[in-house]
Amino acid sequence: MGELEKWEDEKNVYRVQGFSCANCAGKFEKNVKQIPGVQDAKVNFGASKISVYGATSIEDLEKAGAFENLKVEPEKKQKSNTDSEKIKSKESFIKKHGNILYSVLLINIGYLSMLANGEGNIITISLFAAAIVIGGYSLFKVGLQNLIRLDFDMKTLMTVAVIGAALIGEWAEGAIVVILFAISEALERFSMDRARQSIRSLMDIAPHEAIVRRNGQETKIHVDDILIGDIMIIKPGQKIAMDGIVVNGYSAVNQATITGESVPVGKAIDDEVFAGTLNEEGLLEVSVTKLAEDTTLSKIIHLVEEAQAERAPSQAFIDKFAKYYTPLIMIIAALVAIIPPLVFAASWETWVYQGLAVLVVGCPCALVISTPVSIVTAIGNAAKNGVLVKGGVYLEELGALKAIAFDKTGTLTKGIPVVTDFEIINNQAQPDQVFSTLAALENRSQHPLASAIIKKAEQDNINYANIVVENFSSITGKGIRGDINGTTYYIGSPGLFRELGVEHVIEDKVTLLQEQGKTAMVLGTEKEIIAVIAAADEVRETSKEVIQKLYQLGIKKTIMLTGDNNQTAQAIAQLVDVTDVESELLPEGKLNVIKKLRADYGHVSMIGDGVNDAPALAASTVGIAMGGAGTDTALETADVALMSDDLTKLPFAVKLSRKALAIIKQNITFSIAIKVIALLLVIPGWLTLWIAIIADMGATLLVTANGLRLLKVKD
């Protein structure tokens, strides 16, 4: 990575049109690396992009992709959906696949000629030969170049097989092989485009223009021209073009495209809104906070496309396997063609034909496409449902999870404590006066529960802001102190008051509150205890349901990690039904728990807010962040981000990844099995070019269709 960082300033990203297979993408990357001035290049087959480090031009890039007639354009080129571009797209499709139609026509005429004139007739042979040349021109162009360079890939195998078929007089079957291979490539390209469509649909979510108020005038301008601080006017029924903060108005906004939430969210002044979401009701005025390329939607699209480039372990295995598999098939095919005639005096024509059939059936098309189509489809589907998976490796790890650790605050609970109990111990004190003293002290505190006390005071209209607190200080790990009207007050644990020498039996009362999952504090002076206050972080309504669904999906262990005291932790653990709980943990303690879980279960996930507990998140096999939308840190640091502040997305993510893992295994198994079965047909001499190409094409179509089933996995 260090080498690439030197050239980061000269990195340019281009979109590529015309990839027909993963092998072609690899060849394009190799060719681009050889362009003078290019230091390195990385192709993202899943997103149809290439990152080029160094100086080059589009002309040079298209020359490097001339073998596949690839078209290249800068990633940032503005896109439009004009009618003329759609017409050009249709014309390009007809031009690209017209040769297949002509070849099919020639093959049909060839068979008619065969019936009328015989198989060896010059007209019949000419018709089939023309079909081979027209339908296989692009195939032969690359295949012959590869053969000269001893670069063995699928097109090399097919070229040798077709030429061999022609040499032994099997013109009809050679033509059929060409046409079926061309159809197979076209369908493979279509299938990958279908898989990529889940990301392209995200790109089209946000409008390209917005109404902006400048100098008192409302003008519709392109999003690239909108500046931070501009005021956007979003009418009911319009999509929001940029991230921003509401400065005027109230409405319900459908955020499903970003967070996956099906229910619209109320938005008022100071609330954040995201590009690509739909304003359903009222008129909103929004102050823009991010440029077009920095919006949450843009980051999601970028991260998902980068995720598709990250190879999963199974894909890395397949790529390595295919590297040695193709030359091996050529050796086996040569042995099949040569050994029977030489050793057993069998017919050369028969066994050369069998060898050619081995070449065709040996094409690893289905094997190579089996994993990428599944990974791209699953990651795209996850993104559309509010789950950002940062790569194929994390998709596979999610599917293999055996244990999940949950941070308590903000994950299993709402993360917003509320006052639940307030009891006066000194009966002579007035409740409102005591609470105002309590709130005045806590107003200067950084304690997590201070906000709950302030909120309670404001709800009950208790005045505290005008109370003067002097000599305020924090007693590390124990509480706070401050002087009000000459009296020193303390707020803290019962242990603090024992140290002060204040005698009052309140331990039973505090213990009871803690057993109920509440955090108890004591207010008093150096002479007496005045009141006991308890606050609790409310458990999310969905937490228990989520845990139950995870058990149904096969998760063996769920564990809650918290810095809270044991009684509070145990009470919440019972409410959410986790199998284990670890309490009173510092960040180092959480890290140690994760390490132990990895040792016991192998595949472990930690789920939190993506900012705190960073060591534990990093140590897990999959770090999952809650509430990724609008949180740059969560988007950048987590392996998986749940875009909404909603735990119910977790079972969906695990279910989708399990399904993806199952489909990848099915595809690999089927791809290899169909090859083995077809190759076994060589032994009795039953393998024909027809069977070979149908087996190869059928396997490719089936594994692709199987991978696309991941689009149907719903939340």
Side-chain angles (χ1 to χ4, degrees):
M1 189 66 190
E3 287 297 316
L4 291 184
E5 285 174 355
K6 296 178 185 177
W7 299 94
E8 193 67 31
D9 291 341
E10 290 192 54
K11 176 185 174 183
N12 290 292
V13 182
Y14 302 88
R15 296 211 171 263
V16 185
Q17 294 178 6
F19 280 144
S20 61
C21 63
N23 274 353
C24 303
K27 185 179 291 295
F28 179 54
E29 180 181 290
K30 184 178 177 182
N31 290 349
V32 171
K33 287 179 180 179
Q34 294 172 354
I35 297 174
V38 173
Q39 303 304 314
D40 201 358
K42 298 289 180 187
V43 164
N44 182 337
F45 177 59
S48 280
K49 288 165 45 173
I50 184 169
S51 299
V52 181
Y53 298 84
T56 187
S57 65
I58 288 178
E59 288 74 19
D60 288 337
L61 292 173
E62 291 191 342
K63 282 180 185 177
F67 68 93
E68 189 75 352
N69 196 28
L70 300 178
K71 298 299 177 187
V72 179
E73 65 178 25
E75 182 185 31
K76 292 184 179 179
K77 180 181 177 182
Q78 291 182 6
K79 296 178 177 61
S80 60
N81 294 319
T82 62
D83 292 337
S84 61
E85 285 193 348
K86 291 178 182 178
I87 291 168
K88 285 180 183 178
S89 177
K90 289 179 182 177
E91 288 175 351
S92 174
F93 179 85
I94 293 168
K95 184 178 178 181
K96 189 130 185 140
H97 301 290
N99 57 344
I100 298 177
L101 300 176
Y102 293 132
S103 293
V104 170
L105 180 62
L106 288 169
I107 289 171
N108 286 325
I109 297 172
Y111 273 105
L112 291 174
S113 177
M114 185 189 294
L115 292 173
N117 304 315
E119 189 173 352
N121 181 270
I122 188 65
I123 297 175
T124 304
I125 292 173
S126 298
L127 287 166
F128 285 129
I132 289 172
V133 172
I134 293 172
Y137 174 74
S138 61
L139 164 66
F140 301 141
K141 183 180 175 182
V142 180
L144 289 171
Q145 289 176 353
N146 291 349
L147 197 56
I148 293 168
R149 298 171 186 162
L150 298 180
D151 183 5
F152 302 118
D153 66 2
M154 290 178 285
K155 291 190 175 181
T156 313
L157 297 184
M158 296 303 294
T159 300
V160 172
V162 173
I163 292 172
L167 290 176
I168 63 173
E170 296 290 345
W171 292 97
E173 293 205 32
I176 292 294
V177 166
V178 165
I179 199 67
L180 289 178
F181 182 74
I183 292 171
S184 178
E185 271 201 325
L187 289 171
E188 186 178 327
R189 187 185 290 111
F190 169 78
S191 300
M192 280 305 297
D193 283 344
R194 175 81 187 278
R196 295 181 185 116
Q197 189 59 39
S198 54
I199 303 307
R200 287 180 186 160
S201 62
L202 285 177
M203 294 178 184
D204 295 332
I205 284 171
H208 298 295
E209 294 180 319
I211 298 172
V212 172
R213 182 190 296 137
R214 287 179 180 171
N215 302 320
Q217 299 291 321
E218 293 183 6
T219 312
K220 182 178 283 190
I221 62 176
H222 196 278
V223 292
D224 290 343
D225 299 323
I226 295 177
L227 304 175
I228 292 175
D230 276 343
I231 303 298
M232 290 190 303
I233 311 299
I234 302 110
K235 298 175 183 178
Q238 288 185 337
K239 284 188 176 180
I240 298 170
M242 307 282 281
D243 284 12
I245 300 292
V246 177
V247 293
N248 191 22
Y250 175 83
S251 183
V253 175
N254 187 327
Q255 298 188 150
T257 52
I258 300 295
T259 65
E261 297 168 285
S262 57
V263 179
V265 178
K267 298 290 181 180
I269 293 174
D270 292 336
D271 284 340
E272 186 176 18
V273 294
F274 306 111
T277 56
L278 177 66
N279 179 25
E280 293 198 340
E281 294 178 359
L283 181 77
L284 290 177
E285 294 185 12
V286 174
S287 176
V288 175
T289 56
K290 294 178 181 177
L291 297 175
E293 63 268 23
D294 297 325
T295 63
T296 300
L297 179 63
S298 295
K299 286 188 175 182
I300 292 170
I301 292 167
H302 173 73
L303 291 169
V304 169
E305 290 190 329
E306 291 301 307
Q308 292 175 338
E310 293 293 326
R311 294 184 176 184
S314 58
Q315 188 173 345
F317 163 75
I318 291 300
D319 291 344
K320 190 174 181 181
F321 178 78
K323 182 179 178 182
Y324 299 102
Y325 168 83
T326 306
L328 180 64
I329 283 293
M330 292 200 75
I331 293 170
I332 292 172
L335 294 175
V336 168
I338 294 170
I339 290 178
L342 288 179
V343 178
F344 304 107
S347 166
W348 277 98
E349 184 178 342
T350 299
W351 286 98
V352 167
Y353 179 86
Q354 290 289 300
L356 296 175
V358 169
L359 279 182
V360 175
V361 82
C363 279
C365 301
L367 195 59
V368 171
I369 199 69
S370 61
T371 303
V373 72
S374 303
I375 296 293
V376 170
T377 304
I379 288 176
N381 186 16
K384 288 181 72 173
N385 283 280
V387 179
L388 181 62
V389 183
K390 300 285 279 291
V393 60
Y394 304 117
L395 184 72
E396 290 198 8
E397 287 289 357
L398 262 178
L401 287 179
K402 296 289 187 295
I404 299 180
F406 296 86
D407 180 37
K408 177 184 77 71
T409 306
T411 301
L412 291 173
T413 65
K414 294 180 179 178
I416 305 171
V418 294
V419 173
T420 57
D421 298 85
F422 176 59
E423 183 177 345
I424 301 294
I425 302 301
N426 178 356
N427 292 327
Q428 295 179 351
Q430 296 296 316
D432 284 1
Q433 185 179 349
V434 172
F435 206 91
S436 65
T437 301
L438 177 68
L441 289 164
E442 289 290 1
N443 192 35
R444 289 156 177 77
S445 170
Q446 297 298 316
H447 192 277
L449 298 183
S451 60
I453 292 170
I454 299 303
K455 186 176 180 181
K456 173 71 172 173
E458 291 175 349
Q459 286 176 344
D460 294 350
N461 294 319
I462 295 174
N463 181 35
Y464 65 90
N466 297 327
I467 296 177
V468 177
V469 178
E470 298 176 322
N471 301 321
F472 178 86
S473 63
S474 175
I475 306 169
T476 305
K478 297 174 183 176
I480 58 174
R481 55 163 287 172
D483 297 344
I484 297 176
N485 296 329
T487 302
T488 301
Y489 292 93
Y490 295 84
I491 303 175
S493 63
L496 171 63
F497 287 90
R498 280 196 296 271
E499 290 181 13
L500 292 171
V502 179
E503 293 187 7
H504 199 297
V505 182
I506 56 169
E507 277 81 356
D508 290 345
K509 191 180 295 295
V510 170
T511 300
L512 179 62
L513 291 169
Q514 289 176 341
E515 287 174 350
Q516 295 170 356
K518 301 170 184 177
T519 299
M521 298 175 289
V522 180
L523 169 68
T525 65
E526 293 174 343
K527 297 179 180 179
E528 63 177 348
I529 287 176
I530 299 172
V532 174
I533 313 95
D537 185 3
E538 291 183 284
V539 173
R540 291 180 187 269
E541 296 82 355
T542 56
S543 292
K544 185 171 183 177
E545 178 188 354
V546 166
I547 300 294
Q548 291 298 326
K549 285 183 177 179
L550 290 173
Y551 293 147
Q552 291 168 12
L553 288 168
I555 300 298
K556 305 295 183 186
K557 190 180 188 72
T558 55
I559 182 168
M560 185 179 78
L561 308 181
T562 179
D564 271 355
N565 63 73
N566 188 54
Q567 290 99 325
T568 300
Q570 290 292 345
I572 292 176
Q574 288 180 1
L575 291 174
V576 298
D577 203 24
V578 291
T579 55
D580 291 88
V581 60
E582 292 283 347
S583 58
E584 301 177 18
L585 293 174
L586 296 173
E588 184 181 356
K590 294 183 180 182
L591 174 62
N592 292 332
V593 172
I594 294 295
K595 286 181 177 178
K596 186 176 185 304
L597 286 172
R598 287 197 69 167
D600 294 342
Y601 293 92
H603 301 278
V604 177
S605 175
M606 170 72 185
I607 179 166
D609 61 10
V611 181
N612 300 324
D613 307 317
L617 284 164
S620 62
T621 47
V622 184
I624 303 176
M626 286 277 288
T631 309
D632 291 343
T633 308
L635 285 176
E636 297 296 337
T637 59
D639 303 323
V640 176
L642 308 183
M643 300 307 292
S644 63
D645 199 27
D646 182 6
L647 255 189
T648 59
K649 298 294 177 184
L650 182 59
F652 163 72
V654 173
K655 180 174 72 172
L656 178 64
S657 58
R658 292 262 166 99
K659 188 76 171 176
L661 265 183
I663 283 178
I664 288 170
K665 289 175 182 176
Q666 290 167 12
N667 284 351
I668 292 172
T669 303
F670 178 75
S671 301
I672 295 174
I674 199 74
K675 303 293 182 190
V676 172
I677 292 168
L679 290 173
L680 289 175
L681 294 178
V682 171
I683 298 172
W686 294 347
L687 184 61
T688 67
L689 285 173
W690 279 82
I691 294 174
I693 191 65
I694 289 172
D696 178 66
M697 180 181 175
T700 302
L701 294 179
L702 282 172
V703 299
T704 303
N706 198 30
L708 290 175
R709 287 198 300 130
L710 290 166
L711 289 171
K712 296 181 179 179
V713 179
K714 301 298 181 186
D715 182 6

